[in-house]
Amino acid sequence: MNRFDYVRPDTVSDAIKALATPSSRILAGGTNLVDLMKYDVEKPACLVDINRLPLKEISETTEGGLRVGALVSNSDLAWNKTVQARYPLLASAILAGASAQLRNAATTGGNLLQRTRCYYFYDPSTACNKREPGSGCSAIGGVNRIHAILGASDQCIAVYPSDMCVALAAIGASVDVEGPNGKRSVPFHDFHRLPGSEPQRDNTMSTGELITSIVLPPVDFGINHTYLKIRDRLSYAFALVSVAVGLTVKADKIEDARVALGGVAHKPWRDEPAEEMLKGEKADTSLFSRFADTVLAPAKGQGANDFKIDLARRAIVRALHQAAAGTPQDQSNKSVQ
Ligand SMILES: Cc1cc2nc3c(=O)[nH]c(=O)nc-3n(C[C@H](O)[C@H](O)[C@H](O)COP(=O)(O)OP(=O)(O)OC[C@H]3O[C@@H](n4cnc5c(N)ncnc54)[C@H](O)[C@@H]3O)c2cc1C
Ligand code: SF4
């Protein structure tokens, strides 16, 4: 048992002060952090329980979008009536993840900062640059069936596991963070990072900062969206590959297109220049195939995960057809609240 202090601040500013303790960690739903502590991967000197902070609201923004407090649970967000009506892509992605019990405990902020599911990261007896910088990467040349095909480095080939964040990337959300140097808003594509030479850094947050809310801009996807998640089991499994698509279709033509991939890289993967080739066009298999080929042109397998490249190609085409036809993927566990 590692000893640690435990504090439960009532205000954001008190939480930020508590985070100044070296090696302190924020505790939200605890569904990832507590597991990591049990595995001896995380050994915080101080746990800052933020559950008393006033960050549990979903409210309208003046721009016509929504602000989601960092402590809104994944279930409350997915089943919120406004989210279901205006951001069904987000609701669908959340409901494709974990289990009902986990979604009840897990928070919006915690979901953004959940760690990779690389087996070696969870096993302190193995080399892992993300857990212990400079120790090596056991997944390269090791068991790497679930690992990255895009954006990996020679230091780390892990993937980022969240479903919710794939939808947030497609929606173009932003993340509000607050820390000792004040508040800032981070566009979603700048929030998570690729491993490069610093795989220990999952995102661009600085020490002492906490997420206060996620801001959803207004989007015009109507019925033309889908979250397609391909996994080994139909529920309670992380994505091998997932695709979030949001389209604006007018007079049979695609006016706007957003396509984000999950399970393939160290962050939700979007190729915005490639999305341009879909705009002004009619839904068509050869167009969707060319788009998938363009997005996956830099893809590189690690051996056991080579299958993911073709899987991603087919998933992109299928998801684009689902979205264009207005027949989004039904999440099998949607009836379980
Ligand atoms: C068995 C299992 C299956 C799962 N399946 C899926 C799945 O299919 N898809 C999926 O997307 N997820 C899945 N998850 C992951 C789950 O969604 C995450 O564990 C959860 O979202 C984390 O939220 P939390 O509030 O519990 O975070 P915590 O465990 O409390 O925290 C996670 C991390 O975020 C930090 N943190 C939390 N809140 C903040 C904040 N406001 N500001 C700054 N830092 C913060 C913590 O310090 C910690 O480092 C699964 C989890 C388990 C255990
Ligand atoms: S892929 Fe990343 S997380 Fe996994 S062992 Fe290598 S360095 Fe660690």
Side-chain angles (χ1 to χ4, degrees), residues 116 118 120-121 127-130 136-139 147 155-158 199:
T116 183
C118 173
Y120 302 105
F121 177 69
C128 170
N129 285 325
K130 186 179 278 298
C137 171
S138 301
H147 287 73
Q155 301 285 305
C156 178
I157 58 170

Side-chain angles (χ1 to χ4, degrees), residues 27-139:
L27 177 72
T31 60
N32 189 210
L33 180 63
V34 174
D35 280 354
L36 289 165
M37 289 170 67
K38 288 181 190 164
Y39 289 128
D40 262 355
V41 174
E42 288 278 10
K43 296 174 192 163
C46 176
L47 273 191
V48 183
D49 181 342
I50 60 169
N51 282 286
R52 284 187 180 164
L53 303 187
L55 303 173
K56 293 182 181 157
E57 298 295 318
I58 299 177
S59 55
E60 298 280 346
T61 64
T62 47
E63 292 76 28
L66 287 183
R67 179 181 304 279
V68 181
L71 286 172
V72 173
S73 76
N74 288 182
S75 297
D76 285 349
L77 183 55
W79 294 106
N80 178 278
K81 285 196 167 40
T82 311
V83 172
Q84 292 250 328
R86 282 163 40 191
Y87 300 93
L89 171 61
L90 177 60
S92 175
I94 295 170
L95 293 174
S99 64
Q101 292 87 344
L102 281 160
R103 294 192 297 267
N104 287 342
T107 64
T108 305
N111 193 308
L112 258 76
L113 295 179
Q114 63 175 293
R115 309 299 307 270
T116 183
R117 292 282 155 176
C118 173
Y119 329 104
Y120 302 105
F121 177 69
Y122 285 75
D123 179 356
S125 69
T126 62
C128 170
N129 285 325
K130 186 179 278 298
R131 185 172 19 79
E132 197 183 331
S135 62
C137 171
S138 301

